[in-house]
Amino acid sequence: QAGSSPENIDGRDVTLSIRRDVQNVLETELIDGIERYGAKSGEAIVMNPATGKILGMASFPHYAPKYFYKYEQDLYRNPSVAALYEPGSTFKPITVAAGIDTGTITPETKCPRCDEPKKIGKYTIRTWNNEYNEDVSMKDALAKSDNVAMVYIAEEVGADIFRDYLKAFGFGAATTDELQEDINTPFPEKWGPIEVATRSFGQGISLTSLQLMRAIAAIANHGVMMQPSVIESFQDPISGEKIPVKPKEI
């Protein structure tokens, strides 16, 4: 009321969707993998594709919030939402999904031009091992991580439709408003033949790991994309009411 002094009210308690056992496994295995392969850094995320609830999210190197002043400020960022990278072959399921959803291919479709490197102007696109799979099925091409087959799919789908699918899968858009630093990311503007080709196997496009997680989860969830969320519920400090954060279909 006017003239009265304000009273301090505690903030709302937040219950996260993070599971302690999942988080512990992620952090342990992530550090083990980084040491085993001599990597400089790494990330791991576990999300329920049916609800979008994030059960674990780990990155390394990291910092201890209690002693944040002892660490470099670069480590304060959450790379899962703040660091852009080219996804490479982990992007290939998106290309295959676009091909299947448009009816351009089926899992058993044979690639009619996968028996040699793909030439586009002055560029030559090769497979990762420089081995070529004549008449390879789309299912086997994905299993073999065949770059040339991905180019075939994207070309058959067409640049405009392929671009529209990548937008529909959420690339370029923020993933959640619950995590600091999560913002819209650049979406490519140029879609010439070489750009379409390289993006079919995850090069020439930048995204965050949580964006890729959201897109792959949509495939796992039968084409329904869910809003990623780290919050299970809030508790009102005055009424004590527990307010759940319900899964949100986007």
Side-chain angles (χ1 to χ4, degrees):
Q1 295 179 358
S4 64
S5 59
E7 296 181 2
N8 291 331
I9 298 176
D10 289 340
R12 291 180 294 179
D13 287 339
V14 176
T15 300
L16 300 182
S17 59
I18 300 292
R19 280 180 37 172
R20 185 176 298 182
D21 54 346
V22 174
Q23 185 69 23
N24 181 61
V25 169
L26 280 190
E27 294 188 11
T28 302
E29 294 298 323
L30 179 59
I31 292 174
D32 180 64
I34 286 173
E35 292 176 349
R36 185 185 312 129
Y37 295 107
K40 292 182 179 179
S41 62
E43 296 174 55
I45 307 171
V46 174
M47 186 172 82
N48 183 339
T51 65
K53 296 296 182 181
I54 295 172
L55 308 180
M57 177 181 286
S59 63
F60 187 87
H62 52 214
Y63 73 101
K66 186 176 180 180
Y67 303 105
F68 69 92
Y69 49 86
K70 295 183 179 181
Y71 296 83
E72 296 291 332
Q73 290 189 12
D74 287 348
L75 296 180
Y76 298 171
R77 301 167 72 221
N78 180 354
S80 296
V81 296
L84 294 175
Y85 75 109
E86 287 190 343
S89 292
T90 56
F91 197 74
K92 289 173 180 173
I94 304 299
T95 300
V96 174
I100 290 174
D101 200 54
T102 56
T104 304
I105 62 167
T106 72
E108 305 305 328
T109 296
K110 305 288 186 183
C111 180
R113 45 182 188 267
C114 288
D115 57 341
E116 60 183 0
K118 172 70 176 179
K119 293 184 178 180
I120 301 175
K122 62 181 180 179
Y123 301 99
T124 300
I125 294 173
R126 307 180 186 278
T127 58
W128 63 273
N129 59 1
N130 210 26
E131 296 179 1
Y132 300 89
N133 307 290
E134 186 175 3
D135 293 330
V136 66
S137 72
M138 296 295 100
K139 183 166 60 176
D140 288 342
L142 186 57
K144 295 176 184 293
S145 195
D146 191 320
N147 292 345
V148 178
M150 298 303 114
V151 176
Y152 163 74
I153 296 171
E155 288 181 336
E156 292 298 303
V157 169
D160 291 344
I161 295 176
F162 185 52
R163 179 194 61 210
D164 291 345
Y165 265 85
L166 299 195
K167 283 189 174 182
F169 269 116
F171 300 113
T175 47
T176 174
D177 57 6
E178 297 174 356
L179 294 172
Q180 190 176 4
E181 303 166 321
D182 187 6
I183 57 174
N184 293 348
T185 55
F187 191 81
E189 294 182 1
K190 188 177 180 182
W191 287 85
I194 190 62
E195 287 80 18
V196 171
T198 56
R199 284 171 197 147
S200 73
F201 51 88
Q203 295 181 13
I205 186 168
S206 295
L207 46 83
T208 67
S209 53
L210 190 56
Q211 283 178 333
L212 185 61
M213 169 68 84
R214 175 177 63 179
I216 297 294
I219 297 174
N221 197 36
H222 309 289
V224 179
M225 183 176 288
M226 304 300 293
Q227 175 78 52
S229 173
V230 294
I231 299 176
E232 195 67 36
S233 63
F234 297 101
Q235 186 163 1
D236 189 287
I238 298 176
S239 68
E241 180 188 5
K242 204 166 189 178
I243 306 167
V245 175
K246 297 180 180 179
K248 181 181 178 183
E249 183 180 318
I250 57 174

